PDB file of all heavy atoms in Angstrom:
ATOM      1  N   ILE A 440      49.229  46.308 -79.387  1.00 73.00           N
ATOM      2  CA  ILE A 440      49.130  46.826 -78.078  1.00 73.00           C
ATOM      3  C   ILE A 440      48.174  48.001 -77.960  1.00 73.00           C
ATOM      4  O   ILE A 440      47.530  48.161 -76.938  1.00 73.00           O
ATOM      5  CB  ILE A 440      50.503  47.247 -77.615  1.00 73.00           C
ATOM      6  CG1 ILE A 440      51.483  46.024 -77.686  1.00 73.00           C
ATOM      7  CG2 ILE A 440      50.597  47.921 -76.316  1.00 73.00           C
ATOM      8  CD1 ILE A 440      52.860  46.426 -77.277  1.00 73.00           C
ATOM      9  N   THR A 441      48.097  48.737 -78.873  1.00 76.00           N
ATOM     10  CA  THR A 441      47.188  49.836 -78.795  1.00 76.00           C
ATOM     11  C   THR A 441      45.793  49.501 -79.337  1.00 76.00           C
ATOM     12  O   THR A 441      45.608  48.998 -80.381  1.00 76.00           O
ATOM     13  CB  THR A 441      47.603  51.016 -79.612  1.00 76.00           C
ATOM     14  OG1 THR A 441      47.994  50.683 -80.963  1.00 76.00           O
ATOM     15  CG2 THR A 441      48.972  51.692 -79.110  1.00 76.00           C
ATOM     16  N   PRO A 442      44.718  49.748 -78.583  1.00 74.00           N
ATOM     17  CA  PRO A 442      43.405  49.397 -79.054  1.00 74.00           C
ATOM     18  C   PRO A 442      42.875  50.358 -80.022  1.00 74.00           C
ATOM     19  O   PRO A 442      43.056  51.586 -80.119  1.00 74.00           O
ATOM     20  CB  PRO A 442      42.579  49.473 -77.748  1.00 74.00           C
ATOM     21  CG  PRO A 442      43.319  50.163 -76.783  1.00 74.00           C
ATOM     22  CD  PRO A 442      44.642  50.287 -77.227  1.00 74.00           C
ATOM     23  N   ASN A 443      41.975  49.903 -81.002  1.00 81.00           N
ATOM     24  CA  ASN A 443      41.416  50.699 -82.012  1.00 81.00           C
ATOM     25  C   ASN A 443      40.199  51.261 -81.288  1.00 81.00           C
ATOM     26  O   ASN A 443      39.421  50.768 -80.394  1.00 81.00           O
ATOM     27  CB  ASN A 443      40.967  49.670 -83.050  1.00 81.00           C
ATOM     28  CG  ASN A 443      40.644  50.453 -84.312  1.00 81.00           C
ATOM     29  OD1 ASN A 443      40.487  51.707 -84.357  1.00 81.00           O
ATOM     30  ND2 ASN A 443      40.377  49.668 -85.478  1.00 81.00           N
ATOM     31  N   LEU A 444      39.729  52.621 -81.875  1.00 85.00           N
ATOM     32  CA  LEU A 444      38.714  53.313 -81.251  1.00 85.00           C
ATOM     33  C   LEU A 444      37.393  52.569 -81.608  1.00 85.00           C
ATOM     34  O   LEU A 444      36.475  52.583 -80.612  1.00 85.00           O
ATOM     35  CB  LEU A 444      38.689  54.662 -81.957  1.00 85.00           C
ATOM     36  CG  LEU A 444      37.829  55.692 -81.221  1.00 85.00           C
ATOM     37  CD1 LEU A 444      38.246  55.867 -79.701  1.00 85.00           C
ATOM     38  CD2 LEU A 444      37.832  57.017 -81.956  1.00 85.00           C
ATOM     39  N   GLY A 445      37.165  51.942 -82.547  1.00 84.00           N
ATOM     40  CA  GLY A 445      35.923  51.268 -83.017  1.00 84.00           C
ATOM     41  C   GLY A 445      35.722  49.962 -81.979  1.00 84.00           C
ATOM     42  O   GLY A 445      34.656  49.659 -81.581  1.00 84.00           O
ATOM     43  N   LEU A 446      36.880  49.382 -81.817  1.00 84.00           N
ATOM     44  CA  LEU A 446      36.795  48.290 -80.869  1.00 84.00           C
ATOM     45  C   LEU A 446      36.364  48.628 -79.371  1.00 84.00           C
ATOM     46  O   LEU A 446      35.592  47.973 -78.827  1.00 84.00           O
ATOM     47  CB  LEU A 446      38.191  47.422 -80.925  1.00 84.00           C
ATOM     48  CG  LEU A 446      38.277  46.275 -80.022  1.00 84.00           C
ATOM     49  CD1 LEU A 446      37.472  45.260 -80.524  1.00 84.00           C
ATOM     50  CD2 LEU A 446      39.705  45.723 -79.943  1.00 84.00           C
ATOM     51  N   ILE A 447      37.009  49.743 -78.969  1.00 87.00           N
ATOM     52  CA  ILE A 447      36.610  50.225 -77.640  1.00 87.00           C
ATOM     53  C   ILE A 447      35.193  50.544 -77.628  1.00 87.00           C
ATOM     54  O   ILE A 447      34.507  50.372 -76.652  1.00 87.00           O
ATOM     55  CB  ILE A 447      37.529  51.448 -77.298  1.00 87.00           C
ATOM     56  CG1 ILE A 447      38.988  51.098 -77.108  1.00 87.00           C
ATOM     57  CG2 ILE A 447      37.010  52.133 -76.087  1.00 87.00           C
ATOM     58  CD1 ILE A 447      39.933  52.108 -76.869  1.00 87.00           C
ATOM     59  N   PHE A 448      34.579  51.214 -78.732  1.00 93.00           N
ATOM     60  CA  PHE A 448      33.277  51.611 -78.779  1.00 93.00           C
ATOM     61  C   PHE A 448      32.304  50.316 -78.655  1.00 93.00           C
ATOM     62  O   PHE A 448      31.356  50.297 -77.884  1.00 93.00           O
ATOM     63  CB  PHE A 448      32.990  52.406 -80.022  1.00 93.00           C
ATOM     64  CG  PHE A 448      31.581  52.652 -80.183  1.00 93.00           C
ATOM     65  CD1 PHE A 448      30.764  53.681 -79.448  1.00 93.00           C
ATOM     66  CD2 PHE A 448      30.767  51.911 -81.149  1.00 93.00           C
ATOM     67  CE1 PHE A 448      29.480  53.847 -79.637  1.00 93.00           C
ATOM     68  CE2 PHE A 448      29.325  52.159 -81.311  1.00 93.00           C
ATOM     69  CZ  PHE A 448      28.765  53.098 -80.631  1.00 93.00           C
ATOM     70  N   TRP A 449      32.549  49.269 -79.510  1.00 90.00           N
ATOM     71  CA  TRP A 449      31.756  48.126 -79.398  1.00 90.00           C
ATOM     72  C   TRP A 449      31.942  47.442 -78.128  1.00 90.00           C
ATOM     73  O   TRP A 449      31.018  46.789 -77.437  1.00 90.00           O
ATOM     74  CB  TRP A 449      32.093  47.221 -80.675  1.00 90.00           C
ATOM     75  CG  TRP A 449      31.593  47.700 -81.859  1.00 90.00           C
ATOM     76  CD1 TRP A 449      32.155  48.208 -82.910  1.00 90.00           C
ATOM     77  CD2 TRP A 449      30.107  47.876 -82.136  1.00 90.00           C
ATOM     78  NE1 TRP A 449      31.295  48.726 -83.899  1.00 90.00           N
ATOM     79  CE2 TRP A 449      30.032  48.470 -83.469  1.00 90.00           C
ATOM     80  CE3 TRP A 449      28.917  47.612 -81.466  1.00 90.00           C
ATOM     81  CZ2 TRP A 449      28.724  48.750 -83.916  1.00 90.00           C
ATOM     82  CZ3 TRP A 449      27.744  47.938 -82.010  1.00 90.00           C
ATOM     83  CH2 TRP A 449      27.593  48.427 -83.269  1.00 90.00           C
ATOM     84  N   GLN A 450      33.087  47.395 -77.441  1.00 91.00           N
ATOM     85  CA  GLN A 450      33.236  46.705 -76.293  1.00 91.00           C
ATOM     86  C   GLN A 450      32.450  47.452 -75.242  1.00 91.00           C
ATOM     87  O   GLN A 450      31.839  46.838 -74.246  1.00 91.00           O
ATOM     88  CB  GLN A 450      34.723  46.657 -75.825  1.00 91.00           C
ATOM     89  CG  GLN A 450      35.489  45.532 -76.489  1.00 91.00           C
ATOM     90  CD  GLN A 450      36.936  45.514 -76.135  1.00 91.00           C
ATOM     91  OE1 GLN A 450      37.421  46.416 -75.399  1.00 91.00           O
ATOM     92  NE2 GLN A 450      37.615  44.394 -76.471  1.00 91.00           N
ATOM     93  N   LEU A 451      32.447  48.794 -75.285  1.00 95.00           N
ATOM     94  CA  LEU A 451      31.727  49.598 -74.312  1.00 95.00           C
ATOM     95  C   LEU A 451      30.223  49.354 -74.518  1.00 95.00           C
ATOM     96  O   LEU A 451      29.504  49.196 -73.465  1.00 95.00           O
ATOM     97  CB  LEU A 451      31.940  51.119 -74.576  1.00 95.00           C
ATOM     98  CG  LEU A 451      31.411  52.064 -73.480  1.00 95.00           C
ATOM     99  CD1 LEU A 451      31.829  51.833 -72.033  1.00 95.00           C
ATOM    100  CD2 LEU A 451      31.752  53.375 -73.911  1.00 95.00           C
ATOM    101  N   VAL A 452      29.717  49.276 -75.746  1.00 96.00           N
ATOM    102  CA  VAL A 452      28.294  48.950 -75.943  1.00 96.00           C
ATOM    103  C   VAL A 452      28.002  47.588 -75.583  1.00 96.00           C
ATOM    104  O   VAL A 452      26.811  47.443 -74.765  1.00 96.00           O
ATOM    105  CB  VAL A 452      27.929  49.179 -77.454  1.00 96.00           C
ATOM    106  CG1 VAL A 452      26.626  48.580 -77.764  1.00 96.00           C
ATOM    107  CG2 VAL A 452      28.224  50.523 -77.931  1.00 96.00           C
ATOM    108  N   VAL A 453      28.765  46.565 -75.721  1.00 96.00           N
ATOM    109  CA  VAL A 453      28.437  45.266 -75.208  1.00 96.00           C
ATOM    110  C   VAL A 453      28.472  45.150 -73.825  1.00 96.00           C
ATOM    111  O   VAL A 453      27.614  44.571 -73.115  1.00 96.00           O
ATOM    112  CB  VAL A 453      29.393  44.154 -75.905  1.00 96.00           C
ATOM    113  CG1 VAL A 453      29.287  42.907 -75.301  1.00 96.00           C
ATOM    114  CG2 VAL A 453      29.254  44.094 -77.340  1.00 96.00           C
ATOM    115  N   PHE A 454      29.495  45.903 -73.097  1.00 96.00           N
ATOM    116  CA  PHE A 454      29.541  45.872 -71.677  1.00 96.00           C
ATOM    117  C   PHE A 454      28.291  46.589 -71.137  1.00 96.00           C
ATOM    118  O   PHE A 454      27.746  46.090 -70.095  1.00 96.00           O
ATOM    119  CB  PHE A 454      30.857  46.694 -71.364  1.00 96.00           C
ATOM    120  CG  PHE A 454      30.964  46.882 -69.833  1.00 96.00           C
ATOM    121  CD1 PHE A 454      31.304  45.765 -69.015  1.00 96.00           C
ATOM    122  CD2 PHE A 454      30.682  48.087 -69.188  1.00 96.00           C
ATOM    123  CE1 PHE A 454      31.386  45.964 -67.647  1.00 96.00           C
ATOM    124  CE2 PHE A 454      30.732  48.118 -67.774  1.00 96.00           C
ATOM    125  CZ  PHE A 454      31.145  47.102 -67.114  1.00 96.00           C
ATOM    126  N   LEU A 455      27.819  47.719 -71.659  1.00 96.00           N
ATOM    127  CA  LEU A 455      26.637  48.313 -71.096  1.00 96.00           C
ATOM    128  C   LEU A 455      25.485  47.504 -71.258  1.00 96.00           C
ATOM    129  O   LEU A 455      24.504  47.486 -70.506  1.00 96.00           O
ATOM    130  CB  LEU A 455      26.467  49.762 -71.833  1.00 96.00           C
ATOM    131  CG  LEU A 455      27.489  50.746 -71.388  1.00 96.00           C
ATOM    132  CD1 LEU A 455      27.386  52.076 -72.243  1.00 96.00           C
ATOM    133  CD2 LEU A 455      27.420  51.109 -70.009  1.00 96.00           C
ATOM    134  N   LEU A 456      25.319  46.706 -72.545  1.00 96.00           N
ATOM    135  CA  LEU A 456      24.214  45.912 -72.792  1.00 96.00           C
ATOM    136  C   LEU A 456      24.243  44.799 -71.720  1.00 96.00           C
ATOM    137  O   LEU A 456      23.152  44.451 -71.125  1.00 96.00           O
ATOM    138  CB  LEU A 456      24.248  45.315 -74.179  1.00 96.00           C
ATOM    139  CG  LEU A 456      23.218  44.483 -74.583  1.00 96.00           C
ATOM    140  CD1 LEU A 456      21.881  45.325 -74.611  1.00 96.00           C
ATOM    141  CD2 LEU A 456      23.401  43.824 -75.790  1.00 96.00           C
ATOM    142  N   VAL A 457      25.378  44.107 -71.415  1.00 94.00           N
ATOM    143  CA  VAL A 457      25.458  43.042 -70.469  1.00 94.00           C
ATOM    144  C   VAL A 457      25.155  43.615 -69.026  1.00 94.00           C
ATOM    145  O   VAL A 457      24.473  42.884 -68.284  1.00 94.00           O
ATOM    146  CB  VAL A 457      26.785  42.353 -70.561  1.00 94.00           C
ATOM    147  CG1 VAL A 457      27.090  41.476 -69.282  1.00 94.00           C
ATOM    148  CG2 VAL A 457      27.070  41.679 -71.882  1.00 94.00           C
ATOM    149  N   LEU A 458      25.592  44.887 -68.777  1.00 91.00           N
ATOM    150  CA  LEU A 458      25.356  45.457 -67.516  1.00 91.00           C
ATOM    151  C   LEU A 458      23.859  45.669 -67.357  1.00 91.00           C
ATOM    152  O   LEU A 458      23.360  45.496 -66.343  1.00 91.00           O
ATOM    153  CB  LEU A 458      26.158  46.814 -67.464  1.00 91.00           C
ATOM    154  CG  LEU A 458      26.160  47.406 -66.074  1.00 91.00           C
ATOM    155  CD1 LEU A 458      26.774  46.566 -64.963  1.00 91.00           C
ATOM    156  CD2 LEU A 458      26.798  48.751 -66.110  1.00 91.00           C
ATOM    157  N   PHE A 459      23.222  46.213 -68.393  1.00 92.00           N
ATOM    158  CA  PHE A 459      21.845  46.481 -68.402  1.00 92.00           C
ATOM    159  C   PHE A 459      21.024  45.229 -68.211  1.00 92.00           C
ATOM    160  O   PHE A 459      20.032  45.013 -67.308  1.00 92.00           O
ATOM    161  CB  PHE A 459      21.362  47.179 -69.743  1.00 92.00           C
ATOM    162  CG  PHE A 459      19.895  47.327 -69.813  1.00 92.00           C
ATOM    163  CD1 PHE A 459      19.205  48.248 -69.023  1.00 92.00           C
ATOM    164  CD2 PHE A 459      19.105  46.501 -70.634  1.00 92.00           C
ATOM    165  CE1 PHE A 459      17.811  48.343 -69.014  1.00 92.00           C
ATOM    166  CE2 PHE A 459      17.673  46.661 -70.715  1.00 92.00           C
ATOM    167  CZ  PHE A 459      17.079  47.596 -69.841  1.00 92.00           C
ATOM    168  N   LEU A 460      21.307  44.108 -68.870  1.00 91.00           N
ATOM    169  CA  LEU A 460      20.694  42.817 -68.830  1.00 91.00           C
ATOM    170  C   LEU A 460      20.868  42.254 -67.483  1.00 91.00           C
ATOM    171  O   LEU A 460      20.030  41.650 -66.852  1.00 91.00           O
ATOM    172  CB  LEU A 460      21.174  41.854 -69.866  1.00 91.00           C
ATOM    173  CG  LEU A 460      20.599  42.163 -71.243  1.00 91.00           C
ATOM    174  CD1 LEU A 460      21.329  41.225 -72.302  1.00 91.00           C
ATOM    175  CD2 LEU A 460      19.263  42.033 -71.429  1.00 91.00           C
ATOM    176  N   LEU A 461      22.100  42.274 -66.946  1.00 88.00           N
ATOM    177  CA  LEU A 461      22.329  41.752 -65.625  1.00 88.00           C
ATOM    178  C   LEU A 461      21.561  42.597 -64.541  1.00 88.00           C
ATOM    179  O   LEU A 461      21.042  41.957 -63.640  1.00 88.00           O
ATOM    180  CB  LEU A 461      23.901  41.847 -65.254  1.00 88.00           C
ATOM    181  CG  LEU A 461      24.800  40.790 -65.927  1.00 88.00           C
ATOM    182  CD1 LEU A 461      26.253  41.028 -65.522  1.00 88.00           C
ATOM    183  CD2 LEU A 461      24.374  39.339 -65.503  1.00 88.00           C
TER     184      LEU A 461
END
Side-chain angles (χ1 to χ4, degrees):
I440 297 178
T441 57
N443 194 354
L444 194 58
L446 181 64
I447 291 176
F448 172 73
W449 284 112
Q450 283 182 347
L451 185 62
V452 169
V453 169
F454 177 74
L455 289 175
L456 182 67
V457 169
L458 186 65
F459 173 74
L460 288 174
L461 283 177

